[in-house]
Amino acid sequence: MYLPPEQARQTVQHVFERAKAAHAAGKKLEVLTAGNHADAGFLLMQLEQTDPKRYEEVRKQLAEAGGNRSGCDIACIDPQGNVHYDQFSWHYSCGSIREQSFSKIWREAKDERLAILRHRTEHLPPRCRSCRFLEVCNGNLRTRAEAATGSWLGDDPSCYLTDAEIKTR
């Protein structure tokens, strides 16, 4: 279950406001929102309005992180030795370390999903492909999209950014 878009937006806005207040009070605070890469786009929208000078610096850092890295920099091996493209995708196995080494499974990426995740942009839904924040989100969480839509390459319902907000400037 996920928060409705407006509630998710309000919650993230509250976290941002608390972080700004802590910094204004001289407290060193680092905040990590996890599980919804739309937060990166929302942060950038905030910076466009409040601190345009920092916008490019933060955008560059977020782009270097690459958004959702499932199947690229993230993997999970379950107790039975099945390799999954992230810690949420236990319903799908990319291979088994009981049959071949993890490095071979991961490096060769012969599994269809694993191969697509490495070059996912062209396979993402149109809304994601045309989003100005794609480089900092990378299509968000594919397992959540699959749970909500039945398609692992469908829209992630946790993206609370509006169509107007994601359009190219």
Side-chain angles (χ1 to χ4, degrees), residues 53-166:
K53 290 180 181 178
R54 288 205 60 219
Y55 172 86
E56 282 304 323
E57 174 190 340
V58 172
R59 183 180 185 92
K60 182 180 176 191
Q61 290 175 348
L62 290 170
E64 286 173 2
N68 181 277
R69 304 301 297 156
S70 296
C72 301
D73 299 329
I74 296 174
C76 179
I77 302 172
D78 69 25
Q80 289 74 43
N82 297 307
V83 176
H84 308 279
Y85 52 85
D86 64 25
Q87 68 273 32
F88 305 110
S89 63
W90 282 35
H91 66 289
Y92 185 88
S93 175
C94 302
S96 172
I97 61 170
R98 294 178 187 269
E99 297 170 14
Q100 58 185 313
S101 70
F102 172 78
S103 60
K104 184 173 175 113
I105 294 167
W106 202 250
R107 186 175 48 251
E108 293 180 4
K110 289 184 179 179
D111 176 77
E112 179 186 21
R113 285 193 186 193
L114 201 52
I116 287 173
L117 286 167
R118 306 277 171 87
H119 307 282
R120 75 180 77 189
T121 301
E122 63 207 55
H123 302 281
L124 291 172
R127 186 171 193 274
C128 290
R129 284 195 312 267
S130 65
C131 178
R132 69 182 176 126
F133 301 115
L134 180 59
E135 71 179 343
V136 301
C137 173
N138 204 22
N140 221 335
L141 187 61
R142 302 291 82 225
T143 299
R144 187 168 42 226
E146 184 174 21
T149 70
S151 170
W152 76 285
L153 293 170
D155 288 317
D156 182 336
S158 288
C159 180
Y160 52 83
L161 304 178
T162 68
D163 289 344
E165 291 169 335
I166 67 171

